[in-house]
Amino acid sequence: MSVDPASLSYEDFVQGIEDRQRRRQLLFREGRPYFVLVSQQFSRADLEGLCDTATAIRRLDRHRDGVDFLRRILHGHRVMNLFAQPSTRTAESFIAAADKLGASTRLVSDMRTSSFAKGETVDDSVRTLSSFFDTIVVRHPDDDFAMRASWALARSGRPIPVVSAGSGKSQHVTQSLLDVYTLRYSFASRGGIDGKRIVLVGDVGRNRAARSLAYMMTKFDVHRLDIVCAKDHLPEGGLLEYISRHGIDVRIHERLAPALEKVGKEVDAVYMTRLQQEWDGDAGGTPDQKGKLGTNEDFVLHPEYAKYLRDDCVIMHPLPRINELPEPWESHPGFVVWRQVRNGMWMRSALLASIHGAADEIRARAARLSLV
Amino acid sequence: MSVDPASLSYEDFVQGIEDRQRRRQLLFREGRPYFVLVSQQFSRADLEGLCDTATAIRRLDRHRDGVDFLRRILHGHRVMNLFAQPSTRTAESFIAAADKLGASTRLVSDMRTSSFAKGETVDDSVRTLSSFFDTIVVRHPDDDFAMRASWALARSGRPIPVVSAGSGKSQHVTQSLLDVYTLRYSFASRGGIDGKRIVLVGDVGRNRAARSLAYMMTKFDVHRLDIVCAKDHLPEGGLLEYISRHGIDVRIHERLAPALEKVGKEVDAVYMTRLQQEWDGDAGGTPDQKGKLGTNEDFVLHPEYAKYLRDDCVIMHPLPRINELPEPWESHPGFVVWRQVRNGMWMRSALLASIHGAADEIRARAARLSLV
Amino acid sequence: MSVDPASLSYEDFVQGIEDRQRRRQLLFREGRPYFVLVSQQFSRADLEGLCDTATAIRRLDRHRDGVDFLRRILHGHRVMNLFAQPSTRTAESFIAAADKLGASTRLVSDMRTSSFAKGETVDDSVRTLSSFFDTIVVRHPDDDFAMRASWALARSGRPIPVVSAGSGKSQHVTQSLLDVYTLRYSFASRGGIDGKRIVLVGDVGRNRAARSLAYMMTKFDVHRLDIVCAKDHLPEGGLLEYISRHGIDVRIHERLAPALEKVGKEVDAVYMTRLQQEWDGDAGGTPDQKGKLGTNEDFVLHPEYAKYLRDDCVIMHPLPRINELPEPWESHPGFVVWRQVRNGMWMRSALLASIHGAADEIRARAARLSLV
């Protein structure tokens, strides 16, 4: 039954992860996540556990005793954040998450200064750098870098856990984990995520966060997913079929205003995203072209659309935002965007704690202190 | 009476800081500095307290027990150093200062890798990054960046203290704090800073350190301030009037030698600065033009000028120096330039401790151990 | 007898280090290394002690108590890694080494952002930055930078230890220390390094690691050193004479295959290195020219050469490797390349501990726990 990743070719490892049966054997060890690569790898029970751990950490962190307790969890442990694709906010979120558990952290972001530049293979580079660490967090423009690194480490003499912090255009697992956590938290007094109706707005095809969240929603009994997206930016790779197959009613809209006008009052959460212009050859995402940045009218949540939504509708955005979610929304009762940012840190702490088998201890401590 | 920064527009916040009455309400909380933006914000009592705390920290740091005590002060606390304008020495000084109190520190220096580059507003960027930290230290080429960041955080749901580490050409508050500390220390057996006569030499108009020190001197009964400065580089923005208005006798000289020849024996401290050539369009401050770097003869403290000065005259420089303070001065009894560098670290520790309400505890501990 | 480095001119300091008699007086304090600049500075007893300390640290690190014990050794201590020549792997190895002893570490790698760029002297820059630290590790493309920094600090009012992490083309001391450690470990059941026969393959003239190892071998009774090297890349600067003078039988070969065919079965270790193409004006070492990277057939250890070697022959490489040590060698019983990487971290910890007088305490602790 069990599969030893060390015995597989890279192609077989990738195929194994595609396969729902073998995926868990390849990515988990002793029931705990070891390689965190795709949103699909987590069961609903995994997600509930991660959310509970995140809440325990968040509350323990408010008191000096809790802070000291948490900083013992990964004391002496070293986490490398290998960010070939720069992303200050995600890197700082991971670093804060590890730091709160007492781990030592390093950010390696300039790949040109490593031996990658001297003609070394990716496998050698990752193995060498991993020698000084106990966990590696990777972000890379190549879709398969985190997977390749996991495979190379699995067959090395000293494997360590790998967490993807975003790979190319494909997925952004930890963003979807924090989104699930934020939704669950927001719906705590309304029966949780099950039965809810969610609207995803923007460049869903190229926005890793939106893609990963859509995958994650299939783990819950989400009632309906409305996607508001330009035709050119519809997700590829079978995402829509995947969601439908999991029993979620998916609808596509080409403009935001008419969609909200029709169904806004039934909507429980609106998840906004920005246009991913950095992937466009012509537009680019450089500050010099700031004037051109931002999405067009069809995908902006104008303040006057508040009338279409209920007051308890949750408003989310993975940030950064350009023009699609204007500032007046900050005073809307359901605006949880800044909470999402903090939740990212708590959820990443929870993930690291789970990987290293400390989740039970953390939740038990919080329970004993009546914090959860 | 009290002013809530959260309720002000940015323009009103800036105006409030210009106003001596409202400044303290905007920049202090519970009697402690919260936003550290301008030299003028500190009262003489504030400055004396910071100096005493710096001395306590410096002496506690000499013993293992003291080191351990200090590292508990900000244990679990996270400090971000956001340096959009690179300055390794200032950044490392702040990082060492926070590290000595046990805080976790991060240096974020490549703004291009953050979402600033994706068209996000400064307010959003600062709020997002601040989510992972408890204090933010900022250095930026724009004169008002630190102020803008303070305002944005003041009105956010999770404000944290902001310390300016130098803004554009305007001010360099913590440099002036360390200079005050060094002067006070140097004059300890001669009645302190009051009644002293100080000479400021160099590009006073564009040197942040010199400008900030001049402001700071008005908090003490400095007898006279001689400024030796090329006509083109005289300070703007009412600095000279401000100093005169505070009862200090200010004199301007165009060349150093004749000024020292005339008044040198009455001078208690000479504060040298380099020519800020990086602001000159033509000269630049790049290493390739090293040959051109440095000030002209009129503002160099030649070793032979020692004859004009008393042996107990204090010789200071904020560094880096080019040619204006030659190496032979290192053996002068009043040469305290390297002490200034160390004092910068101690004073920044004292400032962080004061912001977070730990100054009294630190001074009490040092007193109990008879260290102060 | 004793020499005070502070009283020497820089030229005398450099000459003093060339002189075997005065070297120890200049580079050691109270019998402990203070400035670590050249492989020749260590006696055989120094090397044995460093190896024993490295083993003690490696074993203590396996248990929570040992981890906590180690992290108290340099608690409150600050180590700057000043890497003007980027090298992610060496920097991360040093940082991990210091971190395991509980020191706070900083990596300063972009010299353009420091005041070096403002026309400041190297002496001032090093002294300023050193003010915030207790040890400095330096890597620089200039052969004499670490030496100059040591001299400048020796004559400052606050000297701190300096460790070279590789200087120009000349030496890479800590690499040779880890190589000695790995050899000693590999030959533990075969009487140690004495009497062994070692083959050095590749660009020995320009490979710092190979050069430094060759120097180090003279401290042991190595039987014979075979160097397989293109005529153009033979080491300069008297290295071969130096080794011969120390009683080692040195032989030069121009191609690897015939050399191994003849003497392979008598060889105890093969030390492979890559062609240092980054020093070639035309070839360069950039990723764009990847196709051109790598050594030619004469210096590749082809898998089929295994038949020429004994099974207990040790296979080493300082990494990164290009094509000269193909992947199939990983399953050879003597392949210790990944162990070398880990050993680098342990040896650098041992070096830092020795510099700061903690080596005895660490070895005693490990002995008491029966770990060594």
Side-chain angles (χ1 to χ4, degrees), chain B residues 171-190:
Chain B
Q171 285 218 15
H172 193 348
V173 192
T174 57
Q175 176 73 44
S176 64
L177 289 176
L178 79 88
D179 289 334
V180 162
Y181 181 43
T182 305
L183 284 169
R184 188 169 174 266
Y185 182 96
S186 301
F187 297 145
S189 60
R190 285 187 275 161

Side-chain angles (χ1 to χ4, degrees), chain B residues 208-266:
Chain B
R208 295 182 287 214
R211 289 175 55 84
S212 286
L213 180 59
Y215 275 113
M216 207 66 110
M217 288 301 90
T218 65
K219 307 293 180 178
F220 295 87
D221 295 329
V222 167
H223 178 63
R224 182 167 146 175
L225 200 59
D226 288 273
I227 295 180
V228 184
C229 181
K231 268 191 177 157
D232 299 354
H233 298 149
L234 273 177
E236 295 164 8
L239 176 62
L240 298 182
E241 296 71 21
Y242 183 92
I243 300 170
S244 294
R245 204 166 62 234
H246 281 79
I248 299 178
D249 184 4
V250 187
R251 309 282 174 96
I252 310 295
H253 309 261
E254 287 185 37
R255 292 169 54 220
L256 180 55
L260 288 187
E261 195 171 3
K262 198 161 56 173
V263 301
K265 291 296 181 193
E266 301 156 43

Side-chain angles (χ1 to χ4, degrees), chain C residues 16-240:
Chain C
I17 293 172
E18 295 284 313
D19 180 314
R20 212 189 143 200
Q21 297 285 315
R22 293 159 70 205
R23 187 186 295 149
R24 196 166 185 96
Q25 291 162 1
L26 291 172
L27 304 183
F28 285 65
R29 295 193 176 187
E30 302 172 37
R32 309 193 305 247
Y34 194 84
F35 298 127
V36 177
L37 302 176
V38 292
S39 293
Q40 304 95 300
Q41 79 181 75
F42 294 104
S43 71
R44 177 160 181 161
D46 294 331
L47 296 174
E48 305 273 8
L50 283 168
C51 289
D52 289 341
T53 307
T55 297
I57 292 171
R58 183 163 55 79
R59 293 190 181 161
L60 283 163
D61 187 71
R62 288 183 196 150
H63 307 283
R64 184 97 187 197
D65 275 2
V67 168
D68 288 345
F69 165 79
L70 289 172
R71 292 185 80 89
R72 288 289 307 162
I73 295 292
L74 294 185
H75 179 76
H77 192 99
R78 310 194 77 250
V79 177
M80 172 166 64
N81 299 275
L82 184 63
F83 275 57
Q85 187 186 40
S87 171
T88 302
R89 65 186 61 214
T90 304
E92 293 303 327
S93 178
F94 266 106
I95 289 167
D99 183 44
K100 288 200 171 283
L101 301 179
S104 300
T105 62
R106 292 287 305 152
L107 174 60
V108 175
S109 55
D110 190 352
M111 306 288 274
R112 286 164 304 167
T113 72
S114 86
S115 290
F116 285 95
K118 293 180 185 155
E120 190 180 44
T121 66
V122 164
D123 297 2
D124 269 14
S125 291
V126 167
R127 283 185 68 175
T128 302
L129 285 174
S130 79
S131 297
F132 315 126
F133 294 92
D134 306 294
T135 301
I136 171 170
V137 175
V138 294
R139 178 155 181 144
H140 203 282
D142 292 350
D143 276 359
D144 71 342
F145 184 87
M147 221 168 268
R148 178 83 198 188
S150 300
W151 174 78
L153 287 171
R155 53 201 298 273
S156 79
R158 186 177 174 277
I160 59 173
V162 176
V163 179
S164 169
S167 289
K169 304 180 195 176
S170 59
Q171 286 218 12
H172 193 349
V173 192
T174 57
Q175 176 72 45
S176 64
L177 290 175
L178 79 88
D179 288 335
V180 162
Y181 182 43
T182 305
L183 285 169
R184 189 169 173 265
Y185 182 97
S186 300
F187 298 146
S189 60
R190 285 187 275 161
I193 298 173
D194 292 335
K196 294 300 178 292
R197 185 163 170 172
I198 296 167
V199 179
L200 272 180
V201 184
D203 191 356
V204 179
R206 299 182 297 180
N207 189 292
R208 295 182 287 214
R211 289 175 56 85
S212 285
L213 180 61
Y215 275 114
M216 208 67 110
M217 287 302 89
T218 65
K219 308 293 179 178
F220 296 87
D221 295 327
V222 167
H223 178 64
R224 181 167 148 175
L225 201 58
D226 287 272
I227 296 180
V228 184
C229 180
K231 268 190 176 159
D232 299 353
H233 297 150
L234 272 177
E236 295 165 7
L239 176 63
L240 297 183

Side-chain angles (χ1 to χ4, degrees), chain A residues 297-317:
Chain A
E297 285 301 300
D298 293 343
F299 309 103
V300 171
L301 190 68
H302 283 295
E304 57 265 32
Y305 299 173
K307 63 177 180 254
Y308 301 138
L309 298 174
R310 296 199 314 266
D311 266 5
D312 66 357
C313 179
V314 174
I315 311 294
M316 297 174 74
H317 193 301

